[in-house]
C-alpha cells in the first residue's frame, strides 16, 4: 500500500495524488462500548461482572472468540466492496498495559492490533490507530472506560507518562508499515482547565516524531474534538480532526429538516456547524478529517428516512469541502451500525431482559432516552435551577451533568450486576457460541445505509 502524508490542505500518496479517506470506526472491538454490545456502564465494569459469572476459562474463551469474530476477513472485504478505503481502529490501553504493572507492555494487545491492520491492508483499507481510552480517563464519559464523571488524566502526570510510553512503542512497531495511515493519539479529550492539553500534545508529538517521523498524526480537539483553541501553528504532517454529530441525528424526537430541541435544522444549518467546527483547519490550510459522525436509527420509518437525508447532506457537504471522514460505527447490536448482531442470535436472546430494563431506565447515554425516568430528573433539575442557577459544569452544562450522574452512573452501575447474572451457569463452549453472535455471516446488514454509502462513493 502507498504511504499517506500531508501536503498543504490535502492528504496525498507517494505520487502526490490526492487521497480522501472514506471509512468507518471499528467501535466496540478493542474498546467496547455499552450501546454497541449491550452491557450497562463501562467496559471494565462489564468485564468484572462477566469474569465473576463465567469463571476464568469461559471468560477467556468468550473474549478470544469475540475479539476474533467481531472483525475478520469477511468484514474487511465487505467494507472494501462498498468503496471505502479506511478503518479507524479504536483501542483501550488495558489491552497493552495493566494498572498494577504500569509501563510493562503486553504483546497480546499488539498482536490483536496487528491482525486487524493486516486484514485491512489485504482488503486495500488503510488503518488509523485510535487510542480511545487512556489511563485515568481523558474525558468524563463511558467511552473512555470512565466509571465516574472526572477526567483524571489531565491532573496526574503519571497517566500522561504512560500514554507517551505506549505511543512510543506503537510508533516503533508500525513505523515502517504504510498500511497504517497514521496515529490518532487521544480520542475526544476533555481537559476542563484547557491548560494541560496543549503542552501534553506538544510533548506527545515530540515523543512520537523521535521514533517515527513519517506517519500522519490525527489530533482531536478539546471538548470531545470540537475545540481547537489550544493549537497555534500546525505541526508538520498533521491532520486536526473534528467530530461532527448533528443534533437531529442523535436527539430523541428530532425532525430533519425541522426543529430539534427548539432549534431549526436544515442543510444550511448543518453546513454552518461543519464550517464552525473546521475553522482551524481551513484557516491554517490543513486537511479536514471528520473522525466521527453519523445518525442513530430508531426503527421508525419516517424518522429514519429523515436521518438518512441528514446523512446524505453531511456526505455531500464533506465532499464539497474535500473532507475525509470515518462514519461511526461499523458493527453493533442495532442502534447505529452498518451491520449488527441478529436480534435472534444467542447473545441477544440471553441479554434481552437486561436490554429492556436498560432501555426503560435510559441508562445509556448514546441512544438512551429519559422518558420513563423524568419523575426522577424533573425535581432534581428544578432544584438545581432554583438553588444553583449559575452552575454550568464542563463540558455540556448542568442538565447533561445531572443525566450523566443519575442515568449513566447511578442507574447503570447496579444494572451491571443484572448483566452478569444473565451469564450465570454458561459453560465455556456456550460462552464461545454467544461471542460468535458477532461474526459477519450471522449479522444483519443495514442495507439502506450500505447503499447510501455505496451510491455516494460511486458518484
Amino acid at each position: 500500500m502507498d504511504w499517506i502524508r500531508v501536503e498543504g490542505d490535502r492528504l496525498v500518496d507517494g505520487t502526490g495524488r490526492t487521497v480522501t479517506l472514506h471509512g468507518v470506526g471499528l467501535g466496540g472491538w478493542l474498546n467496547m462500548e455499552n450501546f454497541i454490545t449491550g452491557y450497562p456502564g463501562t467496559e471494565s465494569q462489564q468485564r468484572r461482572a462477566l469474569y465473576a459469572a463465567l469463571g476464568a476459562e469461559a471468560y477467556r474463551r468468550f473474549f478470544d472468540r469475540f475479539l476474533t469474530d467481531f472483525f475478520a476477513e469477511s468484514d474487511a472485504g465487505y467494507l472494501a466492496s462498498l468503496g471505502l478505503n479506511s478503518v479507524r481502529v479504536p483501542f483501550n490501553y488495558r489491552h497493552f498495559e495493566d494498572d498494577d504493572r504500569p509501563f510493562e507492555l503486553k504483546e497480546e494487545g499488539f498482536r490483536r492490533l496487528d491482525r486487524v491492520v493486516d486484514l485491512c491492508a489485504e482488503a486495500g483499507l488503510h488503518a488509523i490507530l485510535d487510542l480511545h481510552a487512556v489511563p485515568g480517563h481523558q474525558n468524563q464519559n463511558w467511552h473512555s472506560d470512565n466509571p465516574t464523571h472526572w477526567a483524571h488524566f489531565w491532573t496526574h502526570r503519571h497517566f500522561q507518562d504512560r500514554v507517551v510510553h505506549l505511543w512510543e512503542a506503537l510508533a516503533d512497531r508500525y513505523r515502517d508499515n504504510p498500511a497504517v495511515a497514521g496515529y490518532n493519539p487521544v480520542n475526544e479529550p476533555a481537559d476542563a482547565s484547557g491548560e494541560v492539553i496543549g503542552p501534553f500534545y506538544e510533548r506527545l508529538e515530540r515523543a512520537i516524531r523521535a521514533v517515527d517521523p513519517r506517519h500522519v498524526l490525527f489530533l482531536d480537539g478539546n471538548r470531545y474534538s470540537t475545540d481547537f483553541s489550544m493549537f497555534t501553528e500546525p505541526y508538520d504532517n498533521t491532520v486536526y480532526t473534528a467530530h461532527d454529530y448533528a443534533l437531529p441525528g442523535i436527539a430523541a424526537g428530532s425532525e430533519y429538516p425541522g426543529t430539534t430541541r427548539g432549534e431549526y435544522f436544515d442543510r444550511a444549518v448543518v453546513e454552518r456547524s461543519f464550517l464552525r467546527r473546521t475553522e482551524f483547519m481551513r484557516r491554517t490550510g490543513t486537511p479536514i478529517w471528520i473522525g466521527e459522525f453519523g445518525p442513530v436509527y430508531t426503527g421508525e420509518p419516517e424518522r429514519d428516512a429523515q436521518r438518512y437525508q441528514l446523512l446524505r447532506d453531511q456526505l455531500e457537504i464533506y465532499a464539497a469541502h474535500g473532507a475525509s471522514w470515518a462514519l461511526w460505527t461499523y458493527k453493533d447490536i442495532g442502534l447505529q451500525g452498518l451491520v449488527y448482531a441478529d436480534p435472534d442470535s444467542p447473545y441477544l436472546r440471553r441479554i434481552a431482559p437486561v436490554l429492556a430494563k436498560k432501555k426503560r431506565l435510559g441508562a445509556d447515554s448514546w441512544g438512551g432516552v429519559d422518558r420513563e425516568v423524568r419523575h426522577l430528573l424533573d425535581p432534581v433539575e428544578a432544584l438545581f435551577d432554583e438553588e444553583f442557577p449559575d452552575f454550568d459544569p464542563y463540558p455540556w452544562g448542568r442538565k447533561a451533568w445531572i443525566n450523566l450522574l443519575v442515568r449513566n452512573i447511578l442507574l447503570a452501575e447496579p444494572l451491571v450486576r443484572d448483566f452478569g447474572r444473565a451469564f450465570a451457569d454458561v459453560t465455556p463452549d456456550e460462552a464461545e457460541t454467544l461471542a460468535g453472535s458477532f461474526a459477519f455471516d450471522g449479522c444483519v446488514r443495514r442495507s439502506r445505509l450500505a447503499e447510501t454509502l455505496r451510491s455516494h462513493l460511486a458518484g
Side-chain angles (χ1 to χ4, degrees), residues 349-369:
R349 288 200 309 269
R350 179 164 288 272
I351 68 169
V354 182
L355 290 176
K357 189 171 182 179
K358 193 160 66 113
K359 181 178 181 180
R360 184 171 70 250
L361 296 176
D364 283 352
S365 174
W366 199 247
V369 296

Side-chain angles (χ1 to χ4, degrees), residues 126-400:
H126 276 96
I128 299 97
L129 307 186
D130 155 36
L131 182 54
H132 218 75
V134 309
H137 322 297
Q138 76 275 14
N139 61 44
Q140 297 78 17
N141 268 291
W142 82 99
H143 48 80
S144 62
D145 202 7
N146 189 348
T148 76
H149 62 298
W150 297 104
H152 291 299
F153 177 79
W154 306 106
T155 55
H156 291 268
R157 174 71 178 224
H158 167 78
F159 295 139
Q160 298 164 31
D161 291 347
R162 288 164 62 183
V163 166
V164 171
H165 179 251
L166 175 56
W167 271 112
E168 288 172 333
L170 288 162
D172 184 60
R173 193 173 188 99
Y174 296 106
R175 60 183 299 169
D176 297 319
N177 190 340
V180 174
Y183 310 137
N184 190 189
V186 182
N187 174 68
E188 293 193 344
D191 170 19
S193 74
E195 297 175 356
V196 182
I197 184 171
F200 174 72
Y201 267 148
E202 291 177 8
R203 177 190 177 198
L204 187 59
E205 189 267 349
R206 289 194 303 270
I208 293 174
R209 291 296 187 224
V211 178
D212 177 359
R214 193 167 189 178
H215 276 102
V216 174
L217 292 184
F218 295 85
L219 298 184
D220 282 21
N222 201 16
R223 197 185 291 260
Y224 296 75
S225 209
T226 63
D227 171 13
F228 297 86
S229 60
M230 81 291 301
F231 297 118
T232 52
E233 292 300 314
Y235 301 132
D236 289 340
N237 206 29
T238 297
V239 173
Y240 298 87
T241 75
H243 290 186
D244 191 34
Y245 290 106
L247 190 61
I250 58 176
S254 63
E255 295 182 358
Y256 183 83
T259 301
T260 300
R261 294 182 185 171
E263 183 179 354
Y264 183 80
F265 288 86
D266 59 12
R267 178 176 171 145
V269 174
V270 170
E271 184 167 21
R272 285 199 295 272
S273 177
F274 163 82
L275 292 172
R276 182 174 64 253
R277 290 171 175 173
T278 59
E279 186 276 336
F280 176 81
M281 302 75 154
R282 292 178 293 104
R283 173 165 48 86
T284 57
T286 52
I288 298 171
W289 183 56
I290 302 300
E292 290 183 23
F293 77 108
V296 301
Y297 302 98
T298 65
E300 303 170 24
E302 183 177 352
R303 195 174 307 281
D304 285 349
Q306 294 176 0
R307 295 189 173 191
Y308 281 112
Q309 182 59 54
L310 170 62
L311 175 63
R312 287 191 293 271
D313 285 351
Q314 287 188 286
L315 291 171
E316 290 172 4
I317 289 165
Y318 301 160
H321 293 276
S324 296
W325 46 262
L327 180 73
W328 194 260
T329 184
Y330 169 55
K331 184 181 285 186
D332 65 3
I333 60 170
L335 182 70
Q336 196 171 16
L338 184 58
V339 302
Y340 54 91
D342 190 323
D344 196 40
S345 65
Y347 176 80
L348 285 181
R349 288 200 309 269
R350 179 164 288 272
I351 68 169
V354 182
L355 290 176
K357 189 171 182 179
K358 193 160 66 113
K359 181 178 181 180
R360 184 171 70 250
L361 296 176
D364 283 352
S365 174
W366 199 247
V369 296
D370 62 11
R371 187 180 305 112
E372 297 191 54
V373 290
R374 286 310 315 174
H375 63 289
L376 299 177
L377 296 169
D378 285 341
V380 177
E381 291 176 1
L383 177 68
F384 271 75
D385 288 345
E386 180 178 352
E387 299 288 354
F388 309 107
D390 298 326
F391 182 58
D392 187 27
Y394 185 91
W396 312 121
R398 65 178 177 271
K399 283 195 173 182

